């Protein structure tokens, strides 16, 4: 399932409201959606570009790939309600925060993201 441009814009607006404004936390810059590539139309992959400016390191840009298949059909299909978009944004934000906090210790989590700029 690909998100409509309107749903994507609403989701980005909600994500912006939930971002921690600390320098060392990932800030969502871009969001793209696509089918998982496994041929099942209800599977959704979100590609999220985040920027981070840690206090002890140079500015970083990362691409996080998040399998959103379990939640997408229920939350973001068609013309989702504001509550559904809000819930989706909270789930995405939690996944980003968990990835950032554990990427250096958990290989499976680390594989969700790749650094774009060094």
């Amino acid at each position: 399932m690909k998100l409509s441009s309107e749903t994507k814009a609403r989701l980005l607006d909600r994500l912006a409201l939930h971002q921690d404004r600390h320098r060392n936390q990932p800030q969502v810059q871009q969001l793209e959606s696509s089918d998982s590539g496994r041929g099942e139309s209800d599977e959704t992959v979100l590609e999220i570009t985040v920027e981070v400016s840690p206090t002890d390191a140079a500015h970083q840009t990362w691409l996080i790939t998040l399998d959103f298949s379990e939640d997408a059909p229920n939350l973001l299909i068609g013309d989702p309600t504001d509550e559904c978009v809000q819930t989706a944004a909270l789930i995405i934000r939690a996944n980003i925060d968990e990835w950032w906090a554990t990427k250096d210790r958990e290989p499976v989590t680390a594989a969700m993201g790749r650094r774009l700029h060094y």
Side-chain angles (χ1 to χ4, degrees):
M1 172 189 78
K2 291 188 108 175
L3 300 179
S4 70
S5 57
E6 180 182 327
T7 298
K8 192 176 357 178
R10 291 172 59 205
L11 189 55
L12 281 169
D13 287 345
R14 290 294 184 162
L15 283 166
L17 293 174
H18 296 291
Q19 292 191 133
D20 189 345
R21 299 295 179 203
H22 298 288
R23 285 179 46 89
N24 60 346
Q25 295 298 315
Q27 306 297 311
V28 176
Q29 300 300 312
Q30 186 175 346
L31 173 77
E32 296 297 330
S33 68
S34 65
D35 294 336
S36 68
R38 293 184 290 227
E40 298 181 31
S41 62
D42 65 340
E43 293 188 350
T44 300
V45 173
L46 299 179
E47 290 185 340
I48 305 160
T49 305
V50 297
E51 292 184 356
V52 187
S53 298
T55 53
D56 60 346
H59 178 83
Q60 303 172 18
T61 303
W62 293 80
L63 179 66
I64 303 167
T65 302
L66 175 63
D67 182 353
F68 205 62
S69 298
E70 290 181 24
D71 302 303
N74 298 329
L75 295 175
L76 298 176
I77 198 165
D79 184 22
T81 65
D82 287 338
E83 293 80 16
C84 287
V85 173
Q86 170 72 9
T87 301
L90 290 171
I91 292 168
I92 292 167
R93 185 74 244 174
N95 277 279
I96 292 170
D97 291 345
E98 179 181 9
W99 166 80
W100 183 249
T102 62
K103 69 178 176 41
D104 295 328
R105 297 186 309 273
E106 297 181 17
V108 173
T109 302
M112 291 172 49
R114 65 180 169 94
R115 193 165 173 185
L116 300 176
H117 300 284
Y118 291 90

